[in-house]
Amino acid sequence: MSIDKTSTHDTSTHDDAPVDAPAAAADAVTAVDPRLLVREQGFAGYVTEFKRKMRAGDLGSIPVVAGLVIIWAIFASMNSRFMTAENLSNISVAMVGTGMIAVGIVFVLLLGEIDLSVGSVSGVAGAVAAVLAVTHGAPEWIALIVAVLTGTVIGTIHGFFFARIGAPAFAVTLAGLLFWQGFMLQILGDNGTINLDSEGLIAKLTSYYFTDVAAAYGLAIVAVVAFFLSSFLDSRRREAAGVPSRPLSEIVVRTAVLAVVAFAAAIMFNQYKGLPLALVIFLVVLVGTDFVLRRTGYGRKVFALGGSVEASRRAGINVTLIRTSVYAIAGTFAAAGGLFMASKIAAANQGAGTGDLLMNAIAAAVIGGTSLFGGRGRTWNALLGVMVITSIQYGLALEGIATPVQYMITGGVLLATVVIDSVTRKTQKTAGRA
């Protein structure tokens, strides 16, 4: 397959109009897969593809990664403690609770919907686990499972009212926010606080570190090797099928970049307490959910619904089932996030799930690159977004800046991200890609 260099049209534009004559067929634009462009033109292909993405407003995660680098550079210049191993390790643990909730929000946003109940659901999960483990003396592993399943059930209830009954998701989850917050207060009782065993399973979710230096380095090696093999084998499969694939040189470059980041993180963790268990669990969740969304039929159906509900229905997708399942997933990850937050303070209290948690979880998904309009995003966006938010919070805290200012700065970052998302969507429409 060769690239038509004589065409003056954007190769990413598709003409959906029917072709009735040979002359029209001759003038039609042949879409070129970016991977083929890069393979045929080498380094020049990267430049051409980058320019095309710039024109189409499709920059992926580049803006948020650049923003994170700038944020770290600013805070590092303001306070030398920001880039210490201790502070960065603390950030990596603190972001897991909100990040878990944000993963569930990504699924919901892919449908073009919203879930306002996740903060309250996270509080309920922490309360359920504490009541079972402390008040009723149940084993903590059972309390953990029941708490997570409680989130699943709650999410399924929300999904039922939205998908089956037809109530607006905004109204259903807003009602859930209020109802489950009251439910949490009810099961916590008059005391309002239940302290967890500081040496128990729940507390160790955030307090346990793999102190052996081999753990961090081992995880880095596994991540790099797995990424290379996955990319290489996928490329060979695509080549065998006769479809465009990434050249080996690009795979090597991507793997090298990942290796630099992974081993830098491993060195940093080993300078403090070691590799945090919380971060390992979070990364496993991100890998698993990313696989589900990008490599399974279920994930393709979620993206399809985000693109067009009516088209998905006509294609035979069970819209009600997918919608309900997505809210069940959101409830499950909200519960998981609530357990990590309860672990961080070794207690369940009346303040759990309140404050800015809901907004931070939604902001993390959106700031990371998930579109509010549905159909575009990855669960890795939750990692990038929560890193931005937590870094801002810790950086401002080191400078002793008041909480109200932190809220305003985080709100400003979120607004800027939403504006970029809206502009990108309009640009893509102009380029014929939406």
Side-chain angles (χ1 to χ4, degrees):
M1 180 177 177
S2 61
I3 300 174
D4 182 7
K5 295 183 174 64
T6 61
S7 175
T8 59
H9 297 281
D10 188 340
T11 56
S12 64
T13 305
H14 298 270
D15 189 355
D16 295 327
V19 178
D20 298 321
D27 292 336
V29 176
T30 301
V32 178
D33 192 292
R35 283 166 291 208
L36 184 61
L37 185 70
V38 170
R39 174 176 287 277
E40 292 193 355
Q41 297 184 6
F43 179 75
Y46 286 98
V47 177
T48 302
E49 174 61 7
F50 181 75
K51 290 180 179 178
R52 183 195 68 80
K53 288 186 175 183
M54 286 286 290
R55 290 194 300 270
D58 182 16
L59 295 179
S61 299
I62 293 177
V64 66
V65 172
L68 183 61
V69 171
I70 293 172
I71 289 170
W72 282 14
I74 291 174
F75 284 127
S77 65
M78 294 172 61
N79 195 313
S80 60
R81 289 184 297 165
F82 182 81
M83 292 299 292
T84 61
E86 179 181 0
N87 190 61
L88 293 178
S89 181
N90 289 338
I91 288 175
S92 70
V93 174
M95 71 183 187
V96 172
T98 304
M100 283 286 192
I101 301 174
V103 169
I105 289 292
V106 168
F107 277 82
V108 175
L109 291 180
L110 286 175
L111 296 184
E113 300 295 342
I114 195 66
D115 189 341
L116 301 178
S117 69
V118 288
S120 296
V121 175
S122 70
V124 168
V128 168
V131 168
L132 288 176
V134 178
T135 306
H136 297 288
E140 288 199 7
W141 66 270
I142 292 180
L144 280 171
I145 294 175
V146 172
V148 172
L149 291 178
T150 298
T152 306
V153 171
I154 292 174
T156 303
I157 293 172
H158 294 163
F160 171 80
F161 282 104
F162 165 60
R164 176 67 67 180
I165 305 301
F170 178 90
V172 171
T173 56
L174 179 60
L177 181 154
L178 298 172
F179 181 88
W180 300 116
Q181 186 173 351
F183 181 75
M184 177 191 70
L185 298 177
Q186 180 67 32
I187 62 176
L188 284 175
D190 295 334
N191 187 34
T193 300
I194 299 177
N195 293 319
L196 297 167
D197 180 5
S198 60
E199 298 298 323
L201 178 62
I202 297 176
K204 286 184 177 179
L205 287 175
T206 55
S207 65
Y208 185 82
Y209 292 77
F210 297 97
T211 54
D212 191 331
V213 295
Y217 290 126
L219 180 61
I221 293 172
V222 169
V224 172
V225 172
F227 176 81
F228 176 80
L229 291 178
S230 175
S231 301
F232 180 77
L233 294 176
D234 181 64
S235 179
R236 295 291 81 82
R237 283 194 296 267
R238 296 181 68 87
E239 266 191 49
V243 296
S245 59
R246 297 191 187 280
L248 180 60
S249 58
E250 181 181 352
I251 295 174
V252 170
V253 170
R254 287 170 174 261
T255 304
V257 172
L258 175 61
V260 171
V261 174
F263 281 97
I267 293 171
M268 180 272 295
F269 286 128
N270 284 333
Q271 288 179 349
Y272 185 49
K273 293 181 178 180
L275 181 65
L277 172 64
L279 182 63
V280 174
I281 296 174
F282 188 35
L283 292 176
V284 170
V285 165
L286 290 173
V287 171
T289 52
D290 183 69
F291 178 85
V292 168
L293 283 177
R294 296 198 304 121
R295 302 288 185 178
T296 67
Y298 175 80
R300 288 189 285 273
K301 291 175 183 178
V302 172
F303 278 106
L305 254 65
S308 173
V309 175
E310 186 56 34
S312 300
R313 184 178 287 110
R314 293 183 179 183
I317 295 176
N318 189 331
V319 175
T320 300
L321 178 62
I322 297 298
R323 282 176 160 177
T324 303
S325 67
V326 164
Y327 275 89
I329 290 172
T332 301
F333 282 111
L339 291 173
F340 277 95
M341 291 180 174
S343 170
K344 194 76 171 60
I345 60 175
N349 58 41
Q350 294 178 339
T354 59
D356 60 347
L357 176 60
L358 170 62
M359 291 300 103
N360 282 344
I362 296 175
V366 176
I367 289 173
T370 304
S371 176
L372 284 168
F373 301 98
R376 179 168 61 85
R378 295 178 62 179
T379 50
W380 287 100
N381 297 148
L383 172 62
L384 291 173
V386 77
M387 284 178 68
V388 169
I389 291 176
T390 311
S391 296
I392 291 175
Q393 292 174 338
Y394 268 66
L396 294 177
L398 284 176
E399 293 302 306
I401 297 177
T403 300
V405 178
Q406 295 183 29
Y407 286 169
M408 289 187 285
I409 292 177
T410 305
V413 173
L414 176 59
L415 177 61
T417 305
V418 173
V419 170
I420 292 173
D421 184 31
S422 300
V423 172
T424 297
R425 185 176 174 84
K426 291 181 180 178
T427 305
Q428 290 177 342
K429 283 184 177 180
T430 303
R433 297 183 63 249

